[in-house]
Amino acid sequence: MNPDDLRYSREHEWVRIGPGGAAEVGITAFAAESLGDVVFVDLPAAGAALTQFEKFGEIESVKAVSDLFSPVSGSVTEANGALEGSPELVNEGPYGEGWLLRVELADASEAEALMSAAEYERFLAAEAG
């Protein structure tokens, strides 16, 4: 089940919007499961600018290397340094310790272009055919 307090992109990323324009970004459990065992995550440094739906990094698993796309625009305030030594945290807790970035949002209203948990569930069901 996907958490109700998040917004989801068609590229299987999520954003948790907190108070004052702060946000956390990660990949969904579906994406983590589809990738298999994550072995490396390439993330931007603090200060990097993100543009909604544009590539911001890569995630590598035993199966493939996949691009990461930002669900929101803003400025990176922190990349999850724990992933450098323990990239498997993405698999173990994609909505918790496996978060990817913390971001200062440029425009919180961009979240309206993303899916709710229920909409994301329907999207996944339609993708599955």
Side-chain angles (χ1 to χ4, degrees):
M1 207 57 198
N2 296 293
D4 286 333
D5 65 328
L6 307 180
R7 301 294 290 183
Y8 301 87
S9 73
R10 294 180 175 275
E11 291 79 25
H12 308 288
E13 279 87 21
W14 56 261
V15 62
R16 176 182 290 122
I17 298 175
E24 212 167 58
V25 171
I27 66 167
T28 66
F30 172 84
E33 188 176 302
S34 297
L35 283 167
D37 294 335
V38 173
V39 296
F40 181 74
V41 183
D42 181 27
L43 299 172
L50 302 178
T51 302
Q52 188 176 39
F53 306 131
E54 296 293 319
K55 179 181 172 179
F56 71 82
E58 293 179 337
I59 189 163
E60 183 177 343
S61 72
V62 293
K63 293 180 181 178
V65 176
S66 298
D67 291 338
L68 295 166
F69 297 92
S70 184
V72 290
S73 299
S75 178
V76 175
T77 58
E78 181 183 1
N80 187 348
L83 299 180
E84 287 181 33
S86 301
E88 69 277 3
L89 290 173
V90 173
N91 296 108
E92 295 168 5
Y95 302 116
E97 291 183 355
W99 60 273
L100 302 177
L101 300 174
R102 292 198 170 121
V103 177
E104 183 66 35
L105 296 176
D107 182 357
S109 70
E110 285 183 341
E112 295 169 18
L114 302 171
M115 294 177 274
S116 68
E119 289 167 333
Y120 183 66
E121 293 288 340
R122 288 192 293 276
F123 173 74
L124 290 177
E127 290 280 293

